[in-house]
Every structure is written in structure tokens, then in C-alpha cells.
Amino acid sequence: MNYNRRKFIQSTGTLVLGGMALSGRAASLLSNMAAPHAIGLQLFTFFGVIDEDVKGTLTKIAALGFKDMESAFSKKGGYYGMTPKEFKAMVNDLGMNWTSHHVLGAPFKLPPGTKLPNGADGKPMVIPPMKNLRDNMRELVDDAAAGGIKYLVCANSPTATLEEIKSTIEVLNKTGEAAKKVGIQFAYHNHDMEFHAVDGKVPYDLLLSETDPQNVKMELDLAWAVKGGKDPVEMFKQHPGRFPLWHVKDLDAERKTILPVGSGTIDFKPIFAAAKSAGMKHFFVEHDGPKDPLASITSSIGYLKNTLKV
């Protein structure tokens, strides 16, 4: 599906435990790191699979050690065929937290010449009409509030023309205001397209500068940003505190194939070391359209725990 949305490591200094003091270098590095966070998962990784057995899929995810869930689109519509409260109860009963939810910014359209992938039954997927912020903002915000989630995220919104960018900015600002009134933080999730200039202007730069920095935060998809030619650490320096949410996936050397975290070429160490300057509160593993979602996230969480020492 071409639409596919596009700790913390130990520092090189040594933290000596057991009552021994931190070296100056270690203390300096540690001060740049945020407090530990639970490892999260974006359920879009299981798109087309989770709807066959929602509870069974979530049970397997919980068993691997994932704690924060970010929900996405479902063939069943709504929240995997449930109300917000029902979905929250299921996630909580499995020892996890439902932290965030993805919605569309505008009506979904497949890119020209593309088709929906086949589902688990081998037949082309059929998904119900998906609500979007442009047309259904109030309902989507109210649903998020009913589910008690902390974040509502625009997963994608048109930015191919300056007119589309302007419309997207208007939608984001309006949603940010509405979400704030019900105690939810709103954010925007990027792909790589937002980093490609449109009539001499970079869409992502406009999204950052023309949306309210408090009401509209950013969920930075690290891999899509890298694919778009950006250095996440430099982005954090330029816009400190603007990126409370991250998506974590990997890419091959050609920046074409998505891979489990730690299986590709992205250097996550300096990125996670800059978590505090980013303002990162939660991060979610994601793999768009993997052949085996469970194998992919097993590999990713293993890398995060054993290599990055999350």
C-alpha cells in the first residue's frame, strides 16, 4: 500500500553505580537524555492482520514487552470494530496503555495506479470509509477524549501543492485548539514527502512555522525524515521540545526498503541520546507492510533492549 505512512542508549561515558560518582563527561551526557520510557508499538504494523483476531494479536504484542499502544486504521472501522472505551479496556486488561491514535487529515485517496494489498484471506482488502479531520474533526476529537488517550495524531494530510499545504495547516490548527479543550495533545506525523520542496517551499518547514507550537506538536517518523534528507538531531536543535512522539523504523542503504529497527543503516544512538532536546515522551516501533509483523517487532524490540539498552 503506497500510502503507507511515510534508551535510550548508553552513553560512551560510564555511569558507575553503587554509590560512586558520575564522571563529568558521563553526567553531561546523561543530562541530555530524558527519563526512561516504555517501548511502544504503532499498530499500523499489523494492518490487515490485527482485524482477524484483535485480542489475540494484542496478547502476542504484550508478551514481547511492548507497553504503549498507538492505534491506527482498521478494516472493521472505528477502533478495530470497538468503541474507544471498549478498545481501551482490552488494551489495559493486557497490561498495556493506549497512548495515541492516528487519524487522517483529509479524505483518503490511493495514489494513481495503486491498489489496496491483499488481506490475510488472500483477497483484496476492503475497508470502510475512514473519517478525517477536515470533515469529521469534532467527532474524532470527541472519540479520542472518550478513550482517554493522551495524543491524537494526524497520520497524513495533503501537501503536494501550496493550496493543499495551506488547507492542511488550517485543519491542524483547528484540531489542535479543539484537542486542547478536551485535554489531549495533538500532533502531526510525517512521511518523506513533506521534505520535498513545493514551488520553492518545504512543506514541513511551513507546517512547523505556521501551526501553533503548543497545540500542534510533531510525531517525527525518524526513518521518513532521514529518507527526506533530514538529520533528526539537527531538527531537535532547531525546534527543541516540538517532538514528543517518535516513530522508530529502519531503512536499507538505498532508503527504499523498510526494515526492523537495528536491521538497516540508520544510526539510532545519537538520535536517542538527543531525546531530551526533542522533548520526546513516547516512541513507537513501526514497520509499514512487513511480511511477518510479529517477527519484525520481535527483532526490533530485541535490538532496542539489548543493543540500545532501552
Side-chain angles (χ1 to χ4, degrees), residues 78-265:
Y79 301 84
Y80 307 97
M82 290 172 270
T83 67
K85 290 183 178 180
E86 289 170 341
F87 182 70
K88 176 182 175 63
M90 179 179 288
V91 171
N92 290 166
D93 286 346
L94 292 170
M96 300 184 293
N97 298 312
W98 183 26
T99 302
S100 179
H101 179 63
H102 268 208
V103 293
L104 293 176
F108 172 68
K109 294 181 181 179
L110 278 172
T114 62
K115 298 179 180 179
L116 284 171
N118 291 337
D121 58 2
K123 299 179 180 179
M125 287 185 188
V126 177
I127 56 177
M130 292 184 285
K131 295 181 174 64
N132 65 86
L133 294 172
R134 190 194 74 182
D135 301 332
N136 316 103
M137 183 263 288
R138 184 73 265 168
E139 181 180 354
L140 292 173
V141 169
D142 287 346
D143 281 349
I149 58 176
K150 296 166 60 178
Y151 296 90
L152 180 66
V153 180
C154 178
N156 175 273
S157 193
T159 56
T161 67
L162 291 180
E163 188 61 32
E164 286 184 345
I165 296 169
K166 179 181 178 181
S167 177
T168 287
I169 289 171
E170 290 177 355
V171 169
L172 297 185
N173 278 323
K174 288 180 180 178
T175 306
E177 291 176 3
K180 180 181 180 180
K181 291 179 180 178
V182 296
I184 293 175
Q185 178 64 64
F186 181 59
Y188 180 83
H189 165 273
N190 64 281
H191 294 83
D192 66 311
M193 63 185 183
E194 292 92 341
F195 301 106
H196 304 310
V198 176
D199 292 341
K201 297 183 178 181
V202 178
Y204 201 78
D205 291 345
L206 295 176
L207 295 179
L208 281 168
S209 64
E210 298 186 19
T211 57
D212 185 298
Q214 297 303 316
N215 292 348
V216 183
K217 297 293 186 179
M218 297 293 171
E219 178 173 63
L220 190 67
D221 190 303
L222 303 176
W224 289 130
V226 169
K227 181 177 174 64
K230 304 295 289 186
D231 178 352
V233 175
E234 287 301 314
M235 295 176 72
F236 303 155
K237 291 178 180 178
Q238 294 168 11
H239 304 278
R242 194 76 189 269
F243 306 92
L245 306 177
W246 295 357
H247 273 190
V248 186
K249 60 168 72 80
D250 218 332
L251 292 171
D252 66 354
E254 296 182 350
R255 307 301 194 220
K256 292 182 178 180
T257 302
I258 297 172
L259 299 169
V261 182
S263 300
T265 58

Side-chain angles (χ1 to χ4, degrees), residues 48-60:
V49 176
I50 188 172
D51 290 306
E52 305 303 322
D53 182 3
V54 179
K55 186 174 183 179
T57 301
L58 291 174
T59 299
K60 293 176 182 178

